[in-house]
């Protein structure tokens, strides 16, 4: 399909888990997403950082071939997120969200971004998501992620951008919160009535489910024994998912299912270390090896 545009947060995260803590580490939904997707396709990033953001962080993304011409560097502080996890690593507790330079961000997409066939509206203010979407010419696939902060804080703007997207990639708690529906199957169906015809619900260590054209598909998560920090798992998943779709010739059911498996495999690496540390050591052969293990995991004969 071709290249991929992403808008989302580029952040400095302070995160505590039962296994350690980091302060002002590289994070953000667009960062994890683009790093992950860069293993599969060309990624063009739209975001803003403050003057305090380190040049080293930018060069990490540049080394992966990520196009940063849509990244603005503004006066002020970079977006910061402070979060904590207990022993149930599936649930992040947000302690603070400092929008900083995102509060006044006016996205203006470089011309060469506007004709990309795929766009991912990663977790960020839905007003910005809609603004970026408006600047795109005619993408084949528009996908979106969001979180409790925006579901509670900007519900109307979120519902209005959702009506224009093809796919929603969201975690289980947020799918329940968005639909006010405890049953995930019903929640997925309800979301299709908001606009997206493809709904992917991530369930942390329990895997993911998808509904597309009324059909369900379920996968487990890669069976990891050591998880250090789940931050970014969802965005890394989305990067693998969209990256694989960008590489596919069509967006049929087989391509969507394959993309879910690659998304799950990419997320399994991120959670093995803090920040993007594990992704930065990742080799393409390791991705394929885990995909094979995944295939065995779900294979059975009748
Ligand atoms: P996840 O993949 O869901 O674990 O996303 C974690 C990333 O989301 C972190 O690196 C944060 O910087 C970023 N993040 C947290 N809260 C927000 C928010 N309200 N808007 C945008 N990005 C956020």
């Amino acid at each position: 399909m071709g290249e991929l545009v992403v808008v989302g947060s580029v952040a400095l995260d302070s995160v505590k888990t039962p296994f350690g803590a980091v302060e002002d580490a590289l994070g953000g939904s667009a960062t994890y997403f683009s790093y992950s997707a860069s293993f599969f396709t060309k990624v063009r990033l739209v975001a803003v950082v403050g003057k305090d953001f380190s040049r080293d962080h930018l060069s990490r993304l540049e080394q992966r071939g990520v196009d940063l011409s849509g990244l603005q560097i503004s006066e002020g502080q970079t977006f910061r997120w402070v979060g904590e996890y207990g022993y149930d690593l599936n649930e992040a507790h947000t302690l603070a969200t400092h929008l900083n330079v995102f509060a006044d961000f006016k996205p203006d997409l470089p011309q060469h971004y506007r004709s990309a066939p795929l766009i991912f509206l990663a977790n960020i203010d839905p007003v910005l998501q809609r603004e970026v979407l408006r600047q795109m010419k005619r993408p084949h696939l528009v996908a979106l992620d969001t979180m409790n902060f925006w579901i509670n804080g900007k519900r109307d703007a979120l519902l209005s951008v959702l009506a224009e997207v093809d796919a929603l990639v969201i975690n289980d708690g947020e799918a329940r919160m968005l639909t006010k529906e405890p049953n995930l199957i019903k929640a997925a169906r309800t979301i299709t009535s908001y606009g997206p015809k493809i709904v992917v619900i991530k369930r942390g260590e329990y895997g993911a489910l998808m509904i597309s054209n009324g059909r369900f598909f379920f996968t487990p998560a890669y069976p990891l024994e050591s998880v250090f920090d789940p931050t970014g798992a969802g965005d890394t998943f989305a990067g693998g998912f969209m990256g694989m779709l960008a590489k596919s010739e069509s967006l049929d059911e087989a391509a969507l299912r394959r993309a879910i498996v690659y998304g799950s495999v990419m997320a399994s690496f991120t959670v093995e270390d803090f920040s993007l540390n594990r992704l930065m050591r990742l080799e393409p052969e390791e991705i394929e090896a885990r995909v094979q293990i995944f295939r065995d995991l779900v294979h059975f004969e009748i």
Side-chain angles (χ1 to χ4, degrees), residues 9 11-13 26-29 32 79-81 85 94 97 99 123-125 145 147 149-150 171 202 230-236:
S9 55
L12 295 172
D13 289 345
L26 176 61
S29 56
Y32 282 105
F79 177 96
R80 277 175 173 72
W81 180 70
Y85 300 82
T94 294
T97 304
L99 292 179
N123 179 26
I124 198 64
D125 188 333
D145 183 13
M147 72 181 288
F149 189 82
W150 305 112
N171 78 25
K202 301 160 289 174
T231 308
D235 308 305
T236 310

Side-chain angles (χ1 to χ4, degrees), residues 6 23 25 30 32 41 47 55 58 79 119 121 141 146 157 164 184-185 201 219 234 238 245 262 283 289 301:
V6 57
E23 240 172 73
Y32 282 105
T41 193
R55 179 73 233 169
L58 296 183
F79 177 96
I119 173 156
L121 307 168
L141 183 74
T146 191
E164 294 176 47
L184 275 189
I185 307 290
I201 300 183
T219 60
L245 289 178
Y262 274 82
E283 299 293 337
E301 285 170 25

Side-chain angles (χ1 to χ4, degrees), residues 268-295:
S268 76
F269 290 111
T270 287
V271 302
E272 288 182 316
D273 203 338
F274 283 94
S275 183
L276 282 90
N277 296 340
R278 181 63 178 95
L279 288 184
M280 287 178 184
R281 303 191 295 270
L282 183 61
E283 299 293 337
E285 306 78 66
E286 294 179 285
I287 301 174
E288 293 310 318
R290 281 200 183 173
V291 168
Q292 286 307 325
I293 294 173
F294 221 95
R295 183 185 236 169

Side-chain angles (χ1 to χ4, degrees), residues 89-91 171-172 201-208 219-222 230 233 267:
L89 293 167
N90 285 325
E91 207 192 335
N171 78 25
D172 45 3
I201 300 183
K202 301 160 289 174
R203 303 170 60 223
E205 65 182 303
Y206 306 113
T219 60
Y222 184 86

Side-chain angles (χ1 to χ4, degrees), residues 176-191:
R176 292 186 171 106
M177 185 184 285
L178 177 63
T179 57
K180 304 187 173 81
E181 171 55 67
N183 179 288
L184 275 189
I185 307 290
K186 275 196 197 151
R189 278 198 209 285
T190 304
I191 293 168

